[in-house]
């Protein structure tokens, strides 16, 4: 169904387009409406795109239009190129044209079942490529205007047809030539500054190359004129006007704002860090590193650096830094870049053949550790002998010897004292033996005991031995004294 409907649609539009060129009306004559007066009627717009292309449009079309017929007249030393019509409303529309080269008449038709695209009240129809009928070296002039009879017809979305033989248009002669381009290459914001009360000569901007122009045919050989004179008597903004004119007489206009300021604003900016530099060949160098520029209000400014240098080639190079504020106050600083010779690297000494390394001695097997011997038995203190009996002078025998012996044997006190002394000696010996045993037992500690422990025990043993010897000596003295006193007692008797 869709293919069938589309086919019927195309056939119907084709028949409509063909009928238009043969004089068939787009609708019945009863529904025709004459266009309004030329002053408020449809306008023909011919816009030059480039040197050999123009754009065709109908403006001031208030209706919603689905089909348009338009007849144009071409005059001058030009012709329409083959397949030179490029349609703007091609979507869902059938477009066609017919060009009569003898009459230089161009008939255009666009028809659709849907509304044609509009920009406001303007409907763009097509672009036309033209060609010169004259030789090279000249730029022919031409006009494209409405044709006299049945200039236009269009059909609205409600199938009402409107037509007219009077279309508003500009009778402008065009040139098959590219108009020059003109631009301001001063500051990026495109604003100039003039000091109040001082003369401002716009032509000096052209001489300084701040105003430039280019033409496709003439290149940069374009004449530039300063059109007006700037009045600097009042503070504010005025416009300086410049005109670029090519060899064919086509001109382009450029207007540049000029701000009239007071003396207080004519203060140079400052550039920090722009000093002479010295590097070694091969080192990296950024000419803008550490460079800061500010205007009189402390606002940052762009810095332009000029000059050529080669960091690989020793020598001295000149660099120039420039900063400019919005009022065209500028500061320029000239510096030097010195590139020194590369430092020659010290060549390392070639090492000689290494001597035969001394092989480390293989350590022998460790000797068996000496085990500590058994501690010796402590020396028992000697028991003092009993004092000998006193000798009677003259070599006489003591007549009381037997009596003394009897008395000594019978004396309970003397026996008891001897037994006590013996018991005490035995007890002391037992204590010494126990201390010795303890010493022997302590010497059996394993070799893993710490040295501090051994030293402490050794000191303890010495103290105990000294204490035991002292006790035994005291007891021995007491016993000796006892025996001596006993003998004297008997002797006195």
């Amino acid at each position: 169904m869709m293919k069938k409907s589309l086919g019927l649609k195309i056939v119907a539009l084709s028949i409509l387009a063909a009928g238009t060129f043969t004089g068939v009306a787009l609708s019945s004559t009863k529904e025709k409406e004459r266009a309004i007066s030329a002053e408020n009627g449809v306008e023909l717009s011919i816009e030059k795109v480039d040197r050999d292309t123009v754009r065709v449009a109908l403006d001031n079309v208030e209706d919603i239009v689905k089909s348009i017929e338009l007849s144009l007249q071409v005059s001058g030393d030009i012709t329409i190129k083959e397949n030179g019509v490029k349609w703007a409303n091609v979507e869902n529309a059938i477009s066609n044209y017919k060009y009569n080269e003898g009459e230089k008449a161009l008939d255009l038709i666009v028809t659709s079942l849907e509304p044609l695209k509009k920009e406001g009240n303007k409907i763009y129809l097509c672009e036309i490529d033209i060609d010169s009928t004259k030789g090279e070296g000249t730029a022919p002039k031409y006009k494209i205007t409405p044709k006299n009879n049945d200039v236009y017809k269009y059909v609205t979305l409600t199938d009402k047809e409107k037509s007219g033989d009077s279309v508003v248009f500009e009778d402008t002669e065009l040139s098959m030539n590219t108009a020059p381009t003109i631009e301001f290459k001063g500051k990026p914001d495109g604003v100039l500054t003039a000091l109040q009360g001082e003369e401002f000569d716009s032509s000096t901007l052209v001489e300084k190359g701040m105003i430039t122009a280019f033409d496709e045919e003439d290149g940069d050989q374009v004449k530039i004129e300063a059109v007006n004179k700037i009045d600097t008597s009042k503070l504010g903004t005025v416009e300086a006007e410049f005109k670029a004119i090519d060899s064919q007489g086509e001109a382009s206009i450029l207007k540049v704002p000029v701000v009239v300021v007071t003396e207080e604003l004519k203060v140079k900016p400052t550039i920090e860090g722009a000093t002479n530099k010295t590097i070694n060949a091969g080192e990296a160098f950024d000419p803008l590193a550490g460079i800061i520029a500010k205007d009189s209000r402390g606002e940052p400014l762009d810095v332009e650096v000029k000059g050529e240098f080669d960091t690989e080639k020793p020598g001295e190079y000149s660099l120039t830094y420039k900063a400019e504020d919005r009022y065209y106050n500028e500061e320029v600083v000239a510096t030097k870049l010195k590139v020194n010779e590369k430092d020659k690297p010290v060549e390392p000494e070639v090492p000689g053949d290494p001597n035969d390394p001394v092989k480390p001695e293989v350590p022998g097997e460790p000797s068996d550790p000496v085990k500590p011997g058994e501690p010796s038995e402590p020396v028992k203190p000697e028991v003092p002998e009993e004092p000998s009996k006193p000798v009677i002078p003259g070599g006489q025998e003591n007549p009381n010897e037997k009596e003394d012996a009897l008395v000594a044997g019978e004396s309970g006190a003397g026996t008891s004292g001897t037994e006590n002394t013996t018991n005490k000696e035995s007890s002391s010996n037992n204590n010494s033996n126990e201390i010795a045993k303890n010493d022997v037992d302590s010497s059996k500690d394993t070799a893993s005991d710490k040295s501090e422990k051994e030293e402490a025990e050794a000191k303890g043993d010495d103290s105990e031995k000294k204490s035991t010897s002292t006790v035994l000596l005291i007891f021995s003295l007491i016993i000796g004294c006892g025996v001596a006193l006993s003998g004297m007692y008997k002797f006195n008797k």
Side-chain angles (χ1 to χ4, degrees), residues 363-439:
E365 296 293 333
S367 59
D368 295 334
V370 178
K371 297 181 179 179
E374 296 293 332
S376 60
E377 293 290 338
V379 179
K380 296 181 179 180
E382 294 182 1
V383 180
E385 296 180 359
E386 293 182 2
S388 61
K389 296 179 180 180
V391 178
I392 298 173
Q396 296 181 2
E397 184 181 349
N398 186 2
N400 297 324
E401 181 179 359
K402 293 180 181 180
E403 185 178 354
D404 293 337
L406 178 61
V407 173
E410 290 177 357
S411 178
T415 305
S416 176
T418 304
E419 287 176 357
N420 290 337
T421 302
T422 305
N423 289 337
K424 288 179 180 179
E425 290 176 356
S426 176
S427 175
S428 300
N429 291 338
N430 288 338
N431 289 334
S432 300
N433 289 338
E434 287 177 2
I435 292 170
K437 287 180 182 180
N438 289 336
D439 292 340

Side-chain angles (χ1 to χ4, degrees), residues 11 58 175 231-232 253 339 374 384 407:
V11 170
L58 284 181
S175 173
D231 182 9
T232 61
I253 300 295
V339 181
E374 296 293 332
V407 173

Side-chain angles (χ1 to χ4, degrees), residues 457-473:
E457 290 178 352
K459 291 180 180 179
D461 290 345
D462 292 341
S463 299
E464 290 178 359
K465 288 178 182 180
K466 291 178 180 181
S467 299
T468 304
S469 299
T470 304
V471 172
L472 290 176
L473 180 60

Side-chain angles (χ1 to χ4, degrees), residues 70-217:
L70 180 63
S71 297
L72 301 175
Q73 185 70 51
V74 179
S75 59
D77 297 325
I78 65 166
T79 185
I80 306 298
K81 291 182 179 179
E82 185 177 359
N83 299 322
V85 178
K86 300 174 183 177
W87 298 98
N89 276 282
V90 294
E91 186 178 354
N92 299 326
I94 295 177
S95 304
N96 204 350
Y97 74 94
K98 179 180 179 181
Y99 177 61
N100 187 326
E101 189 171 358
E103 297 179 1
K104 290 191 174 182
L106 178 64
D107 295 324
L108 306 173
I109 181 172
V110 179
T111 180
S112 173
L113 299 178
E114 298 176 5
L116 299 179
K117 292 181 180 180
K118 295 175 64 177
E119 294 182 11
N121 285 334
K122 180 179 285 188
I123 300 176
Y124 284 99
L125 298 178
C126 62
E127 289 185 355
I128 302 174
D129 292 334
I130 60 176
D131 202 356
S132 174
T133 58
K134 297 180 67 175
E136 296 182 2
T138 58
K141 298 185 182 301
Y142 62 94
K143 289 182 180 181
I144 298 179
T145 57
K147 195 176 179 180
N148 293 331
N149 299 324
D150 294 332
V151 174
Y152 73 92
K153 296 178 183 177
Y154 65 80
V155 178
T156 66
L157 194 61
T158 58
D159 290 332
K160 290 185 177 180
E161 177 186 325
K162 292 187 177 182
S163 63
D165 53 9
S166 178
V167 178
V168 178
F169 68 95
E170 292 183 4
D171 190 11
T172 303
E173 186 177 53
L174 303 176
S175 173
M176 194 173 172
N177 174 66
T178 303
T181 58
I182 182 171
E183 58 183 336
F184 174 50
K185 289 189 175 180
K187 294 186 55 185
D189 58 5
V191 178
L192 293 171
T193 304
L195 187 62
Q196 184 180 20
E198 289 189 358
E199 184 179 355
F200 183 87
D201 187 359
S202 302
S203 61
T204 58
L205 301 179
V206 179
E207 296 172 0
K208 291 180 179 180
M210 295 181 182
I211 308 296
T212 61
F214 182 82
D215 183 69
E216 186 174 334
E217 292 80 16

Side-chain angles (χ1 to χ4, degrees), residues 269-304:
T270 59
I271 301 177
E272 300 176 4
T275 59
N276 297 334
K277 304 289 193 307
T278 300
I279 63 172
N280 291 327
E283 291 182 358
F285 175 70
D286 181 2
L288 290 175
I291 304 298
I292 300 174
K294 297 179 181 179
D295 63 11
S296 59
R297 297 174 298 172
E299 297 295 329
L301 299 174
D302 293 333
V303 179
E304 178 185 3

